[in-house]
Amino acid sequence: MELSLALTFVFALIIGLTLGLLGGGGAILAVPVLTYVTGLEPVQAIPTSLFIVGVTSLVSLSLHALKKRVVWRTGLIFGLAAMVGAFAGGRAGAVVPAPVLMFSFAAVMTAAAIAMIRGRRQSDDEPETSQELPISKVLATGAVVGLVSGFVGAGGGFLIVPALVLLARMPMPRAVATSLLVITMQSASGLAGYALSTPLDWSLALSIAGLAVAGSFIGFWLSNRLPGQGLRRGFGIFVLVIAAVVVIEETLQLLG
């Protein structure tokens, strides 16, 4: 048990680092860690993940906001729509069988990994001009992202960042910062959806969140010094490996 907790705390730092650095990916690690390392049931691991990711994203958001990177209008509209979708996804996830949740999570991880590996055609350092999207498109995209993230317990940054970069043509630093605003909002909504029916171990959740916040400071520091393209592709490969582990683990449990 002590080894499991020690590994959980190490991964908590990594979760925070990825959020601070990439504006997403924290919950992709959090749910498998809480399930396979910490030993929580998926129905508990997912809302715990939403709490950890939400708290860590809020802290990271404040750091990026000090650098004036957040596009508040787009982020708030996107976030409000995502909150509605995340609440609905959280309610649905609370009554879905554990294997379905975990296989769904593996599918989302695979999609996230492909998006990270493919990256963008333009350089992350190339200057761009952000454009304001029509409100209807922002609302529709936000609702879909929120529904998926609330159902599988992911913060959604791996979907939000590509959407902001490709649709709004935001430079990567702004997309990362604005993604953290949306993640904070929809993580809170998704957690509320689960909290109505699923009790949490708050002492464990707070301990992990504290370490994740510490990791987010490291990620923010690195975000000002390292190129994002190579890091994002490397992380995408790592996520593919984790998705494969989840599928193998769940398949063995079903066959056993």
Side-chain angles (χ1 to χ4, degrees), residues 118-132:
R118 289 180 62 186
R120 304 170 53 206
R121 293 181 180 179
Q122 292 176 307
S123 168
D124 286 339
D125 298 324
E126 183 179 339
E128 299 177 6
T129 301
S130 300
Q131 62 185 34
E132 294 289 358

Side-chain angles (χ1 to χ4, degrees), residues 26-49:
I28 287 178
L29 294 175
V31 173
V33 167
L34 292 170
T35 301
Y36 301 127
V37 178
T38 313
L40 298 181
E41 292 295 323
V43 73
Q44 289 183 313
I46 288 176
T48 303
S49 164

Side-chain angles (χ1 to χ4, degrees), residues 39-254:
L40 298 181
E41 292 295 323
V43 73
Q44 289 183 313
I46 288 176
T48 303
S49 164
L50 288 168
F51 173 75
I52 294 166
V53 170
V55 170
T56 308
S57 297
L58 179 60
V59 174
S60 295
L61 170 64
S62 65
L63 296 175
H64 284 278
L66 291 175
K67 293 285 187 178
K68 302 187 184 302
R69 296 172 178 169
V70 183
V71 183
W72 294 100
R73 177 184 177 275
T74 297
L76 287 171
I77 296 173
F78 196 112
L80 287 172
M83 286 176 70
V84 176
F87 182 83
R91 293 296 293 156
V95 297
V96 172
V100 175
L101 279 177
M102 296 311 293
F103 278 120
S104 298
F105 196 82
V108 173
M109 281 194 289
T110 301
I114 292 172
M116 290 179 181
I117 292 170
R118 289 180 62 186
R120 304 170 53 206
R121 293 181 180 179
Q122 292 176 307
S123 168
D124 286 339
D125 298 324
E126 183 179 339
E128 299 177 6
T129 301
S130 300
Q131 62 185 34
E132 294 289 358
L133 294 174
I135 292 180
S136 59
K137 182 176 290 188
V138 176
L139 289 172
T141 306
V144 172
V145 169
L147 182 67
V148 173
S149 64
F151 181 74
V152 301
F158 56 87
L159 298 174
I160 299 165
V161 172
L164 294 176
V165 169
L166 297 175
L167 296 178
R169 297 188 60 79
M170 285 186 190
M172 191 62 192
R174 287 185 175 273
V176 167
T178 306
S179 171
L180 290 167
L181 170 61
V182 180
I183 291 172
T184 301
M185 296 171 68
Q186 69 183 34
S187 292
S189 183
L191 176 61
Y194 272 95
L196 294 176
S197 57
T198 307
L200 298 183
D201 183 341
W202 287 106
S203 61
L204 177 65
L206 288 168
S207 298
I208 298 174
L211 286 169
V213 166
S216 73
F217 280 93
I218 300 173
F220 176 75
W221 181 80
L222 289 174
S223 72
N224 295 313
R225 290 162 176 79
L226 298 177
Q229 188 76 0
L231 288 171
R232 189 168 59 251
R233 287 179 176 174
F235 187 74
I237 295 172
F238 182 47
V239 170
L240 275 180
V241 173
I242 296 175
V245 170
V246 170
V247 170
I248 293 171
E249 181 75 18
E250 291 299 320
T251 301
L252 290 176
Q253 289 185 13
L254 288 176

